[in-house]
Amino acid sequence: MTDLPKSYEPKSVESKWYAYWETHGLFHAPDTTTKKPYAIVIPPPNVTGALHMGHALNNTIQDILIRWKKMSGYESVWIPGTDHAGIATQNVVERDIWKTEKKRRQDLGREAVIDRIWKWKEEYGNRILTQLRALGSACDWERTRFTLDEGLSKAVRECFVKLYEEGLIYRGKYIVNWCPRCRTALADDEVDHKESKGKLWHLRYPLADNSGFIIVATTRPETMLGDTAVAVNPKDPRYTKLIGKMVKLPETNREIPIIADDFVDASFGSGAVKVTPAHDPNDFQMGKRHNLPQINVMREDASMSDEAPEKYRGLTREACRTQIIEAFEAQGLLEKIDDHQNAVGHCYRSDTIIEPWLSDQWFVRMRPLAEKAIRASEEKKVVIHPERWNAIYLQWLENVRDWCISRQIWWGHRIPVWYCKKGNCPPIVARETPATCPHCESAQLEQDSDVLDTWFSSALWPFSTLGWPEKTAALKTYYPTSTLVTDRGIIYFWVARMVMMGLHHMNAVPFSDVYIHGTILDEHGAKMSKSKGNVIDPLKMIDTYGTDALRFSLIMLSSEGQDVKLSETKFEMGRNFCNKLWNAARFALMNLEGMDRPSLTNLAFSTTDKWILTRLETVIAETQLSLEEFRFHEALAKLYQFFWNDFCDWYVEVSKSAFTQKGSDTHKAAQQTLYAVLSTSLKLFHPFMPFITEELWSHLPHREETSIMSATFPAPQHQLSFAAAANEFETVKEVVTAIRNIRGEHGVPPSKQISAFFIPADHAASKTVSSQRTLIEYMGRLNAFEITTADHRPQKAALAVISTGEIFVPYEGLIDIEAEKERLGKEILKVEKEKASVETKLADGKFMTSAPTHIIEQQRTRLTEAEQKMQKLKKALADLI
């Protein structure tokens, strides 16, 4: 047996074992297998990304699942990869070009910029995958994919063309969310709406017959240059006579009609609204209903276009707004200005205010796809954990709008559509790049300049990473995948779209379970951001505390998908437990010298042995259930409580005497028990804390596998459950704990020998405590321990009331009587409060008529126990007076 160092040094251990796992192929899964498959696809991080705490939590949870399933006999595979992140990556490289060369992308041209981005990707794009290794991620690195690699590009083309052929992709002139900074359209989900204190301007539009004017209210006066109507509600009596009349549009030489439309809210502003079909999505729909012209008065950078009057052309939208208001005021056409709270859309990447903008874009018809996804959810083919997110997911699907998939950038999957420059031929939508026009055979073809939304390729990730559209062996084996682990922020961006695409192209959901974890916040509950200076770098925490400490702390702090408030000191919890685990293993290994091969049969188990083996059985079952139900925090918390409290604080302390009896049956049983608990605990902890458990496993004698990753995850062995003996030891624990609490409350040193008395609640308690008297005296540091009756109740003694009876520790020479009076008084107040609470509940008629019978009985039992405890405490207090 190799000597274990005195202290745990994570750095050398982590680098050693990760290299071992990787070189020995322990992360790799074959394309075909006789085992039951279990597959996870990683949410592909952006190639621009660096590991942050959200990644750390997300990938720790995935790693827990992969390692657990592998140890449980599954062919588990975790497919890694990165996302090309169109807008984000292009922005990074464009900023670098401007910083170093003072050039914009247009100065270099498309091919040169794309070439620069590929070079940047080769240099920096795999950084985050390297960082995931530091986290211990058991990814099948041989299967690493990139959303712009050759195979995935083929999948994207196949998907686009197939959807187009089925009438589910179309091109049209529509209002889109336009980012003037990124100069591209954004999907609805890519717009962050932020509450803003703005203004509501009330503008007068003169009637063309000079009989007066109509007042319109708007939050965006600059767009009035593109108005093509004024709308009122047909049921609004104020405007009935004006419907059909014309108004003079100020600052232009145009007249526009007053129309009636039910969409108009008569209670908003003046009840009359300007209609700008090219600059507002609602106005766009209204314009279609009334066949109104569409006048786009802005360029792609949100400056005023040539469609605007000459004096406004080239102005920014902000400058135009200012000049419009000044012009209206000068002409007496500004009625009033109100303060107005408004939700303003911002680009999720650049934080620029979004401009609703009319342009030609490509869209996916979502309704037919969403209906299939809704059915899959209702039929429980896809289950979201925690369940509360399912309603939000379904609500989005039920209200889904067509998805704008074209982006006016250069980095990404170029739309597979070509236009013939020679004749008036239909667009060519093709899987392979055409050499000539199939309609006129001209070779003068030009590909659509737009690229696809990044999320389009990401939506195919669960099956494109396995080789689709080819019918590969890996696709057959591992699709559908098993579990998706993600953050709530991309339920709509990614989860819903993957379900829709999986059902459409593969006729099967892409995964059966989705686990939504919480968001990592700072200790005050604020989102982490570099600008706030509250970011905690996981790599620095790994360097300071070790990977297992980081993983342990993150899981212990995250419960049921709740957000996690984090500070650097929280990782001390993980480091402390690593040290506890290490020291407990050192004690065990020192006492396993000369042990026979592991076997738990034909042994003379002590009560303590039987108790810890029973507790081990319980925690194995609890861990298995918690993992199956995605309650990772609960699984780890129960393991922690078992190992630290039950094993270290109780079993190790009690069993020390057995290890002095070398060669005896007691010693052999204690060795085998110690080995069983330690080896099983290491396997239970391994998915959560892979490095330290692998290191300790390597020092175990007679281990079943060279690597703990290949060991079998524990399952309950019902023959190792000793209920009667376990109950006996629980009584011992309760008695000893009560004695220790009295010591602590009165400042009696643990080393000082004291005497104690026990009045049992019944014969069974008397029998159990009597049989375990020697152990109680040893653990309680007692020089005398007497079992007596209520008739011989000790006077002037500290009292502890427990479930099996009463513990008395005489005061003489030990205890401050005044302090004990104070303690008993506090305990009486506590019991009185509990008693009053139960009495209130039992006096509540609604509770008594609606609560189940067993709940009512529980409350009555609580009341009886509180009354009995109160009686004993008051008697003890009276004895002191």
Side-chain angles (χ1 to χ4, degrees), residues 392-630:
I392 296 168
Y393 166 77
L394 280 174
Q395 184 182 33
W396 184 84
L397 285 172
E398 287 161 357
N399 295 284
V400 71
R401 293 169 58 181
D402 284 358
W403 174 17
C404 176
I405 55 170
S406 44
R407 298 290 180 272
Q408 289 67 46
I409 58 174
W410 293 344
W411 174 246
H413 293 278
R414 198 161 175 181
I415 289 175
V417 177
W418 289 261
Y419 306 101
C420 179
K421 296 169 72 175
K422 182 179 179 181
N424 189 25
C425 301
I428 305 157
V429 180
R431 290 169 175 82
E432 301 294 336
T433 301
T436 60
C437 174
H439 308 291
C440 71
E441 298 185 355
S442 168
Q444 296 180 41
L445 301 180
E446 184 176 67
Q447 189 173 358
D448 195 303
S449 61
D450 289 353
V451 300
L452 288 164
D453 178 8
T454 296
W455 295 104
F456 190 89
S457 52
S458 299
L460 314 181
W461 188 249
F463 48 95
S464 63
T465 51
L466 293 168
W468 186 87
E470 305 301 326
K471 295 179 180 179
T472 64
L475 183 66
K476 184 178 180 181
T477 300
Y478 296 111
Y479 190 90
T481 66
S482 307
T483 305
L484 179 77
V485 179
T486 189
D487 178 81
R488 65 172 182 261
I490 53 176
I491 293 176
Y492 320 125
F493 282 126
W494 194 42
V495 178
R497 290 168 181 167
M498 280 192 290
V499 173
M500 288 186 272
M501 292 300 181
L503 285 166
H504 190 75
H505 292 295
M506 298 294 296
N507 201 31
V509 294
F511 29 72
S512 53
D513 291 284
V514 179
Y515 180 73
I516 308 291
H517 59 73
T519 300
I520 302 287
L521 308 173
D522 72 9
E523 59 187 315
H524 306 294
K527 281 191 174 183
M528 290 186 179
S529 69
K530 289 181 181 178
S531 61
K532 293 179 182 176
N534 62 351
V535 171
I536 300 175
D537 184 347
L539 295 174
K540 288 183 179 178
M541 296 304 99
I542 287 172
D543 188 60
T544 304
Y545 298 100
T547 297
D548 290 324
L550 175 124
R551 291 170 59 125
F552 178 92
S553 300
L554 285 177
I555 298 301
M556 283 292 279
L557 292 167
S558 6
S559 59
E560 280 288 349
Q562 297 295 321
D563 290 344
V564 180
K565 291 183 180 180
L566 194 62
S567 65
E568 290 191 16
T569 57
K570 295 287 178 69
F571 296 106
E572 293 174 4
M573 167 175 56
R575 181 181 61 189
N576 292 343
F577 185 72
C578 284
N579 291 337
K580 188 75 170 181
L581 183 59
W582 188 265
N583 291 333
R586 287 190 75 244
F587 168 84
L589 292 171
M590 286 188 294
N591 286 285
L592 292 177
E593 294 282 357
M595 187 191 83
D596 296 334
R597 293 198 67 81
S599 173
L600 291 174
T601 58
N602 302 317
L603 293 170
F605 289 125
S606 67
T607 299
T608 316
D609 295 333
K610 291 178 179 178
W611 167 74
I612 196 65
L613 289 171
T614 302
R615 281 291 299 121
L616 182 62
E617 286 290 288
T618 300
V619 83
I620 288 170
E622 289 174 341
T623 302
Q624 189 78 23
L625 180 61
S626 295
L627 287 174
E628 286 170 357
E629 296 182 349
F630 300 94

Side-chain angles (χ1 to χ4, degrees), residues 60-80:
T60 294
I61 292 170
Q62 292 177 83
D63 196 52
I64 289 168
L65 290 168
I66 286 293
R67 290 176 184 271
W68 166 51
K69 288 295 185 178
K70 180 177 176 61
M71 295 174 74
S72 299
Y74 289 75
E75 194 70 77
S76 63
V77 62
W78 184 8
I79 301 171

Side-chain angles (χ1 to χ4, degrees), residues 225-500:
L225 299 172
D227 287 359
T228 53
V230 171
V232 298
N233 192 295
K235 299 183 182 68
D236 190 337
R238 293 174 295 175
Y239 300 114
T240 304
K241 293 181 180 179
L242 294 181
I243 295 171
K245 286 195 172 190
M246 304 293 285
V247 300
K248 296 175 184 176
L249 186 63
E251 295 299 288
T252 73
N253 292 319
R254 293 188 290 115
E255 292 187 358
I256 58 175
I258 298 174
I259 62 172
D261 196 288
D262 289 323
F263 179 78
V264 177
D265 180 0
S267 65
F268 177 77
S270 64
V273 296
K274 56 193 283 304
V275 183
T276 321
H279 292 281
D280 183 276
N282 296 319
D283 291 3
F284 176 78
Q285 295 297 333
M286 199 185 301
K288 287 179 70 177
R289 288 195 292 273
H290 296 272
N291 198 29
L292 297 175
Q294 300 164 343
I295 303 175
N296 193 335
V297 294
M298 289 190 197
R299 300 176 182 139
E300 62 179 22
D301 63 354
S303 65
M304 306 312 290
S305 74
D306 289 346
E307 293 288 344
E310 187 173 353
K311 70 176 183 178
Y312 294 109
R313 292 171 192 169
L315 293 178
T316 65
R317 52 186 169 175
E318 294 80 11
C320 182
R321 175 181 297 183
T322 300
Q323 290 195 22
I324 288 285
I325 294 304
E326 289 173 353
F328 268 73
E329 191 168 23
Q331 297 171 56
L333 298 177
L334 180 62
E335 176 74 12
K336 63 176 179 176
I337 305 173
D338 293 331
D339 290 331
H340 183 67
Q341 192 76 12
N342 197 19
V344 178
H346 290 68
C347 173
Y348 80 116
R349 280 294 173 195
S350 66
D351 203 37
T352 305
I353 292 177
I354 290 300
E355 186 62 47
W357 203 58
L358 184 69
S359 65
D360 289 314
Q361 301 290 340
W362 289 92
F363 294 84
V364 176
R365 296 187 200 280
M366 299 293 275
R367 175 51 49 194
L369 301 173
E371 286 170 355
K372 291 181 186 177
I374 291 168
R375 281 198 301 275
S377 186
E378 291 171 345
E379 294 168 5
K380 302 297 181 185
K381 291 179 181 176
V382 176
V383 179
I384 298 179
H385 314 267
E387 197 275 334
R388 65 179 180 274
W389 291 110
N390 193 60
I392 296 168
Y393 166 77
L394 280 174
Q395 184 182 33
W396 184 84
L397 285 172
E398 287 161 357
N399 295 284
V400 71
R401 293 169 58 181
D402 284 358
W403 174 17
C404 176
I405 55 170
S406 44
R407 298 290 180 272
Q408 289 67 46
I409 58 174
W410 293 344
W411 174 246
H413 293 278
R414 198 161 175 181
I415 289 175
V417 177
W418 289 261
Y419 306 101
C420 179
K421 296 169 72 175
K422 182 179 179 181
N424 189 25
C425 301
I428 305 157
V429 180
R431 290 169 175 82
E432 301 294 336
T433 301
T436 60
C437 174
H439 308 291
C440 71
E441 298 185 355
S442 168
Q444 296 180 41
L445 301 180
E446 184 176 67
Q447 189 173 358
D448 195 303
S449 61
D450 289 353
V451 300
L452 288 164
D453 178 8
T454 296
W455 295 104
F456 190 89
S457 52
S458 299
L460 314 181
W461 188 249
F463 48 95
S464 63
T465 51
L466 293 168
W468 186 87
E470 305 301 326
K471 295 179 180 179
T472 64
L475 183 66
K476 184 178 180 181
T477 300
Y478 296 111
Y479 190 90
T481 66
S482 307
T483 305
L484 179 77
V485 179
T486 189
D487 178 81
R488 65 172 182 261
I490 53 176
I491 293 176
Y492 320 125
F493 282 126
W494 194 42
V495 178
R497 290 168 181 167
M498 280 192 290
V499 173
M500 288 186 272

Side-chain angles (χ1 to χ4, degrees), residues 105-139:
R105 62 169 165 158
Q106 292 82 0
D107 300 326
L108 297 179
R110 184 174 195 132
E111 296 307 316
V113 169
I114 291 174
D115 184 59
R116 293 280 190 98
I117 299 173
W118 273 112
K119 288 177 180 175
W120 184 93
K121 187 265 177 189
E122 292 307 313
E123 186 172 354
Y124 301 107
N126 292 321
R127 173 180 54 179
I128 193 163
L129 297 183
T130 302
Q131 293 169 341
L132 285 175
R133 286 173 161 85
L135 195 63
S137 303
C139 294

Side-chain angles (χ1 to χ4, degrees), residues 742 745-746 797-799 811 815-825 876-877 880:
I742 290 174
E745 289 163 358
H746 297 283
L799 167 67
Y811 293 136
I815 289 172
D816 182 336
I817 293 179
E818 291 305 315
E820 178 61 8
K821 285 181 184 178
E822 184 179 350
R823 186 188 73 81
L824 287 170
L877 183 59
L880 294 178

